[in-house]
Amino acid sequence: MAEEKKPSGEKKSGKKKVDTASFKCSNCGANMTFNPETQTLYCSHCGNTVDFEKKQAKELDIEQGFSKDRLWESSEATLFRCGNCGAEIVMSGEEIAKNCPFCGTAHVQKTQELPGLKPSAVLQFSFGEDKAVELASAWAKKRFFAPRKFKKNINTDNLRGVYMPSFTFDSKTYSTYEGRIGIEHTHTVGSGKDARTVTTVEWQHISGTYSLDFDDVLVSASKRLGQKTTSKISPFDTNASKVYDEKFISGFMTYRYDKDLTVCWGEAKGIMDKIIRRKILSKYSYDRLDYLNVSTTHSEVTYKYVMLPVYIGNFNYANKTYNFYVNGSNGKVYGKTPKSALKIAGVVLLGVAVAALLLWFFLKD
Ligand SMILES: [Zn+2]
Ligand SMILES: [Zn+2]
């Protein structure tokens, strides 16, 4: 079984991420993992590297996606669930998930459930864990209220590379709209003591059509790395994503989607609607908007089910777990850091002291 075999070249940090049984080194038989630095499979035991073909990912017809023609076979992948925080991790082939990337615990259990839709594209990691630690540390340094312990303790033990599920959508939209906008006019009425200004609104009916093509509107398919966090570490250059290949995933974890194609397409339409409304309104100058009704049809809709590269860090402070995220493609960092009570108290005391000093300065004469 895969669990028994560990390459002896494994890092000494004691972190057992994954056993990668899928790709054996032809030199020494150890497991090979994807190395973001060289963009090849890499054997950490003997240093062997093996390149592989990376094909440009294609857009897929959304109707075919709805018919669920691209599911994982039960033999291809296994679903693991963290007993501590509930995170769901998909491991391909015979890989075993051990530590949970979100809470850092080892309470990760294999389930009998099917992992669902199979990814069609992957935006691969472009740098390794060491650089992710560097980037996260530089980010943490700038967080003034973060405790020193947090800033000093970002390392490869509490950071893991995880592929996060997302959908991208292309659509050619055609909208018809009608609405009412108002332009304000202010006049002065009366004179002398009785002069006052009044505002009148000149209402105007608007209507028309609007066409807009969307390319790769990104919707997070995971509640854990939701839309907000995804946009904080965006952009992800999904147009550069490659056809999904398990070799990219080897050595990393994949998080299962909690929102399916139908739900995510609904969210994508919501995102597109907002943009269309904004674009239509930007054609007019107005002070007030009474209403705007927009009706949009979508055509030539395509999607990609893309795995996004994210390093997830976890840090425990005062019995709470804090996660921070590093975009594994462009290095952008975002997260919530614990706040040091001591530092906050220090700043409050300093503020009080400054206020007291100012008071004394102004009252002393
Ligand atoms: Zn080897
Ligand atoms: Zn967990």
Side-chain angles (χ1 to χ4, degrees):
M1 278 305 286
E3 286 121 290
E4 317 307 330
K5 291 174 200 153
K6 266 187 218 88
S8 50
E10 193 171 78
K11 275 189 201 162
K12 289 194 189 79
S13 66
K15 176 170 75 178
K16 295 174 200 94
K17 275 203 310 195
V18 284
D19 273 344
T20 52
S22 306
F23 306 103
K24 296 279 181 209
C25 174
S26 57
N27 270 355
C28 71
N31 298 321
M32 301 191 90
T33 54
F34 179 70
N35 183 338
E37 308 292 345
T38 56
Q39 297 284 303
T40 61
L41 284 174
Y42 173 72
C43 174
S44 62
H45 186 55
C46 75
N48 187 20
T49 61
V50 175
D51 204 358
F52 60 95
E53 198 188 354
K54 302 166 187 80
K55 287 185 219 139
Q56 191 68 28
K58 284 194 193 79
E59 294 290 335
L60 304 169
D61 185 337
I62 198 163
E63 293 305 325
Q64 279 166 27
F66 290 144
S67 68
K68 296 198 168 81
D69 62 341
R70 295 178 53 88
L71 296 179
W72 281 110
E73 302 280 329
S74 60
S75 60
E76 282 180 312
T78 314
L79 182 72
F80 292 81
R81 185 172 291 118
C82 173
N84 187 46
C85 76
E88 291 178 324
I89 301 151
V90 180
M91 303 298 288
S92 61
E94 291 170 60
E95 291 184 62
I96 307 293
K98 281 183 177 159
N99 284 56
C100 170
F102 289 97
C103 67
T105 66
H107 304 292
V108 181
Q109 303 263 303
K110 190 174 178 168
T111 73
Q112 297 304 316
E113 295 163 47
L114 291 174
L117 205 64
K118 189 174 178 172
S120 68
V122 56
L123 183 65
Q124 76 271 34
F125 282 89
S126 67
F127 54 87
E129 277 183 350
D130 291 343
K131 184 162 176 220
V133 166
E134 254 173 56
L135 290 163
S137 300
W139 163 82
K141 254 186 212 142
K142 291 189 215 137
R143 301 269 113 43
F144 179 77
F145 285 111
R148 184 192 291 264
K149 205 175 142 204
F150 170 74
K151 297 184 186 189
K152 294 225 150 168
N153 277 317
I154 295 176
N155 54 52
T156 53
D157 285 343
N158 54 24
L159 188 115
R160 274 165 190 82
V162 180
Y163 281 103
M164 298 303 287
S166 73
F167 290 97
T168 66
F169 299 95
D170 289 4
S171 175
K172 293 194 190 324
T173 68
Y174 177 78
S175 308
T176 56
Y177 64 88
E178 61 97 18
R180 198 164 82 120
I181 55 174
I183 294 154
E184 291 178 359
H185 299 281
T186 46
H187 326 262
T188 310
V189 293
S191 60
K193 268 199 314 192
D194 297 326
R196 60 200 166 88
T197 55
V198 288
T199 303
T200 55
V201 181
E202 181 197 331
W203 291 104
Q204 188 193 335
H205 204 85
I206 56 166
S207 64
T209 60
Y210 196 81
S211 301
L212 191 59
D213 292 353
F214 287 92
D215 176 41
D216 274 19
V217 172
L218 183 66
V219 176
S220 164
S222 117
K223 286 178 186 148
R224 205 161 284 263
L225 189 85
Q227 196 67 13
K228 190 185 152 215
T229 308
T230 305
S231 58
K232 290 274 185 191
I233 55 170
S234 283
F236 286 97
D237 186 11
T238 49
N239 273 316
S241 60
K242 304 289 187 286
V243 168
Y244 180 81
D245 185 324
E246 279 163 33
K247 295 187 189 81
F248 288 118
I249 307 298
S250 186
F252 295 93
M253 292 181 174
T254 311
Y255 189 65
R256 176 158 90 149
Y257 65 92
D258 329 280
K259 297 185 291 178
D260 67 12
L261 182 64
T262 309
V263 172
C264 289
W265 170 232
E267 286 185 22
K269 281 192 284 192
I271 293 169
M272 292 179 199
D273 278 347
K274 273 192 193 141
I275 295 169
I276 292 167
R277 283 182 73 86
R278 218 172 49 220
K279 294 261 189 190
I280 290 170
L281 288 171
S282 72
K283 300 203 301 182
Y284 300 93
S285 67
Y286 61 94
D287 301 304
R288 293 190 196 177
L289 174 66
D290 183 18
Y291 71 93
L292 176 70
N293 292 328
V294 183
S295 160
T296 300
T297 53
H298 295 264
S299 59
E300 295 177 46
V301 181
T302 59
Y303 79 100
K304 292 194 294 266
Y305 177 23
V306 193
M307 291 290 137
L308 302 178
V310 181
Y311 286 102
I312 298 173
N314 62 76
F315 184 77
N316 289 308
Y317 186 77
N319 293 322
K320 232 186 121 181
T321 304
Y322 294 84
N323 286 126
F324 53 93
Y325 310 89
V326 183
N327 180 321
S329 180
N330 69 7
K332 216 166 156 189
V333 188
Y334 166 74
K336 290 206 170 77
T337 61
K339 289 186 174 64
S340 158
L342 214 64
K343 280 191 183 178
I344 292 172
V347 167
V348 169
L349 281 177
L350 194 72
V352 169
V354 168
L357 202 69
L358 285 173
L359 204 64
W360 172 79
F361 186 77
F362 286 115
L363 296 180
K364 73 184 159 92
D365 295 321

